[in-house]
Amino acid sequence: MTSNRKRKLVIMLVLSVALLLSPITGTATVQAEGASNSYNYSFWGNTVVSPDAYDATKLLTGHNLGVGSLKDPSDLHVTADGHIYVLDSGNNRIIVLDDKFKLLHIIDSFEHAGQQDTFASPQGIFVTEHNQLYIADTGNKRVVHLDEQRQLVQIVDSPQSELLQANFEFKPVRVVVDKANRIYVMATGVFDGFMEFNANGEFTTFIGANRVNVDPLEYLWKTLSTREQRSQMVQFTPTEFTNLDINDEGFIYATNGDQWGDNIKKLNAQGTDILRREGYFNPTGDIRYRVTDGPSRMIDIDVTDSEIYSVLDSKRGRIFTYNGDGHLMYVFGGLGNQLGKFTTPVAIERVGDQMLVLDKALGEITVFETTPYGRTLNEAVRSYYRGDEEAAFQRYLETINMNANLEFAYSGIGKALLRQGNYGEAMKYFKESYDNKGYSKAFLLHRKEILRSYFPTIMTILVTLLLAIFVWRKVRKWKGGKKIVTIE
């Protein structure tokens, strides 16, 4: 048999095995379609019902905002004082609202070199704590920096560096800025991570490049192919990021298009991923889905206080919210044509505890309000984060009274009890939540506490026994040493 025929035979066998396995995989995974709009996952990976944490209460359109139709809006940003910036990309403008959704002003131009300059299909927007405005002006291949008075500060374009190819074309689509005024840009076609610029707008480096993830079947196919066939195949490249956000401490939270690896990251200043993944499953969106649909594809992330962050799944239109340890708190949203559903969701932001979801195709913003369940769970996580054990304990108890299926809440109660020094009770709740790490810690402390409490009694008994033995030996020796004298 020739080598070509052997190779063809092996390829046929591989394809046969793949075809046999595919229906098995398809029946083994079930999408959480049958559940209500809100659900969660148990320790065992089963979909469990959950109360709604958010309810859609309002739909904002360009017309009811008094600005005309929104055309292909692409981004949202909310400042600390509650001002909402809507990037109306198709109309090349920025609409600014207050926290009551009243129009404040519209930014559609700025003065540049003595003339009025405009935007061209801008895709990303960021506002600093000092109201400095940064716009990823994608069509004009630049980042525009405006001050609080909307006067031009600088334009970042055409970065030069030996790290960039000679024919590199700068197309920024998302931008964030830290407190040191370093600018982080997500640019089209860049696989090396986010582009970092200093406060003067000079390109310095890339940070946070994604790893290359290889499809095992595709890798096997390449191994069995000839050199000519391999040269025609798509090369393995790192996955592009899809969005980013930055918290008050300067950590960058990012999403990427990797559907099989870690699609949510938390990057420090060195670009190292430090996201805690201590939940039952890694933060990645849906863990149960149809094989034909595939896993979640995250396209936006919003980080709020107490390390709580929410991510938007464009594939199924759902918002997944996690605590700092990586436990899934709640899920809401979806695709559809009713209030609370979307067609093409592209961005999420918070105004206080309200959640805003921007729909690109419909040009609408859906406003979600927390339910009593959502407020209680949010406050439980926040109380624990700020070290208020008593409040965390009470809020978590209220949470499990409303949703006994939320297993990680039992762990939250256990952690609160652990901080209070109630190790025995903490063990019970850790066991209920399958938190082996927490249980082991509570057990060791509980054992030490028991030994410490009984130590004086044990030592008293030991000393008494030793003293009694010593006295008994002395008495016995004294008696044995006596001489008996007989009188005749």
Side-chain angles (χ1 to χ4, degrees):
M1 186 180 293
T2 64
S3 59
N4 284 337
R5 291 187 64 186
K6 286 182 179 178
R7 186 178 291 111
K8 288 181 180 179
L9 180 60
V10 172
I11 291 173
M12 291 293 291
L13 289 172
V14 170
L15 289 174
S16 299
V17 172
L19 289 171
L20 287 171
L21 288 175
S22 58
I24 296 173
T25 309
T27 56
T29 55
V30 180
Q31 188 176 352
E33 300 282 358
S36 65
N37 290 339
S38 187
Y39 57 92
N40 210 304
Y41 292 107
S42 71
F43 172 83
W44 304 106
N46 298 319
T47 305
V48 293
V49 296
S50 173
D52 290 328
Y54 276 84
D55 282 334
T57 58
K58 190 180 300 184
L59 192 65
L60 304 177
T61 66
H63 291 292
N64 59 35
L65 292 174
V67 296
S69 297
L70 301 180
K71 183 179 179 182
D72 296 329
S74 60
D75 202 10
L76 288 172
H77 186 87
V78 177
T79 60
D81 56 4
H83 288 180
I84 304 161
Y85 289 72
V86 183
L87 190 58
D88 189 7
S89 304
N91 291 317
N92 300 316
R93 61 181 181 172
I94 300 158
I95 298 165
V96 187
L97 313 172
D98 65 13
D99 58 352
K100 304 298 182 184
F101 311 113
K102 301 298 182 182
L103 179 65
L104 295 177
H105 46 265
I106 296 174
I107 305 169
D108 56 7
S109 63
F110 57 95
E111 187 173 331
H112 179 204
Q115 297 180 344
Q116 286 300 109
D117 201 347
T118 58
F119 307 109
S121 188
Q123 298 297 308
I125 187 171
F126 185 84
V127 186
T128 71
E129 60 183 352
H130 301 296
N131 289 318
Q132 301 287 304
L133 181 61
Y134 292 79
I135 305 103
D137 193 6
T138 310
N140 287 323
K141 303 176 185 178
R142 63 187 182 180
V143 173
V144 178
H145 175 194
L146 305 178
D147 64 15
E148 188 174 0
Q149 305 303 322
R150 304 313 171 220
Q151 299 299 309
L152 179 64
V153 177
Q154 67 175 333
I155 287 180
V156 179
D157 62 356
S158 304
Q160 302 296 319
S161 172
E162 59 184 14
L163 298 175
L164 301 170
Q165 297 180 359
N167 60 348
F168 175 72
E169 190 175 39
F170 185 50
K171 288 187 176 180
V173 289
R174 291 291 188 271
V175 58
V176 298
V177 182
D178 66 14
K179 292 186 177 180
N181 293 322
R182 286 185 293 260
I183 307 167
Y184 300 94
V185 175
M186 188 184 87
T188 301
V190 175
F191 299 96
D192 298 307
F194 297 115
M195 301 181 70
E196 180 184 312
F197 297 81
N198 61 25
N200 296 322
E202 300 165 342
F203 174 72
T204 54
T205 188
F206 293 103
I207 70 161
N210 290 309
R211 292 182 178 180
V212 176
N213 287 318
V214 181
D215 186 336
L217 189 59
E218 188 176 351
Y219 178 77
L220 178 62
W221 185 273
K222 281 194 172 186
T223 303
L224 299 172
S225 301
T226 64
R227 182 178 298 178
E228 291 76 15
Q229 290 172 330
R230 286 197 297 271
S231 66
Q232 297 175 6
M233 293 181 180
V234 177
Q235 299 299 311
F236 297 126
T237 57
T239 308
E240 281 187 283
F241 284 104
T242 56
N243 223 314
L244 75 164
D245 195 9
I246 192 167
N247 69 358
D248 292 336
E249 297 175 318
F251 294 111
I252 294 176
Y253 286 71
T255 56
N256 61 57
D258 188 355
Q259 299 187 57
W260 305 105
D262 293 326
N263 55 8
I264 304 169
K265 294 184 177 182
K266 178 183 179 181
L267 306 176
N268 61 16
Q270 289 74 41
T272 304
D273 181 16
I274 58 171
L275 188 73
R276 296 201 300 277
R277 299 178 175 89
E278 300 174 10
Y280 302 135
F281 305 94
N282 286 348
T284 188
D286 277 320
I287 64 168
R288 295 177 67 86
Y289 48 82
R290 297 189 184 99
V291 173
T292 53
D293 295 335
S296 300
R297 187 176 189 277
M298 301 307 184
I299 59 162
D300 195 16
I301 185 166
D302 175 73
V303 55
T304 183
D305 61 287
S306 309
E307 295 187 330
I308 298 172
Y309 58 95
S310 300
V311 286
L312 174 62
D313 175 14
S314 64
K315 187 171 290 185
R316 287 178 274 273
R318 293 172 181 152
I319 296 94
F320 299 82
T321 298
Y322 298 88
N323 71 356
D325 288 330
H327 282 286
L328 178 60
M329 294 172 61
Y330 42 76
V331 184
F332 64 96
L335 298 179
N337 54 10
Q338 62 193 85
L339 184 62
K341 305 290 185 178
F342 326 107
T343 299
T344 313
V346 291
I348 53 173
E349 277 288 324
R350 286 179 184 260
V351 183
D353 254 354
Q354 291 178 318
M355 186 74 78
L356 309 180
V357 182
L358 179 63
D359 194 313
K360 186 182 185 75
L362 300 179
E364 298 173 342
I365 301 173
T366 303
V367 182
F368 289 87
E369 302 276 356
T370 51
T371 63
Y373 171 72
R375 285 192 295 274
T376 304
L377 180 52
N378 285 341
E379 188 54 37
V381 173
R382 287 167 176 155
S383 297
Y384 178 78
Y385 179 82
R386 62 176 178 258
D388 189 347
E389 292 86 5
E390 183 60 34
F393 176 76
Q394 293 298 330
R395 297 294 87 77
Y396 273 124
L397 278 179
E398 293 175 29
T399 300
I400 61 175
N401 285 335
M402 290 185 276
N403 180 17
N405 289 329
L406 190 65
E407 292 171 339
F408 96 84
Y410 294 92
S411 178
I413 295 174
K415 289 177 180 178
L417 290 169
L418 194 67
R419 283 187 175 181
Q420 293 175 6
N422 194 342
Y423 308 127
E425 280 297 306
M427 288 169 57
K428 297 178 183 177
Y429 285 98
F430 283 132
K431 185 176 181 180
E432 191 73 25
S433 65
Y434 304 98
D435 188 342
N436 295 328
K437 183 179 178 181
Y439 183 88
S440 298
K441 186 175 181 179
F443 174 77
L444 290 173
L445 293 171
H446 184 55
R447 184 177 63 181
K448 187 181 294 185
E449 184 181 50
I450 291 175
L451 290 175
R452 189 184 296 115
S453 64
Y454 286 104
F455 182 77
T457 303
I458 294 172
M459 288 305 298
T460 300
I461 293 172
L462 286 174
V463 170
T464 303
L465 284 173
L466 290 173
L467 185 61
I469 292 172
F470 175 78
V471 171
W472 178 74
R473 284 182 175 178
K474 285 290 183 181
V475 171
R476 184 180 178 186
K477 185 177 180 182
W478 177 73
K479 284 185 176 182
K482 281 186 176 182
K483 294 182 178 180
I484 301 175
V485 180
T486 58
I487 301 176
E488 294 180 356

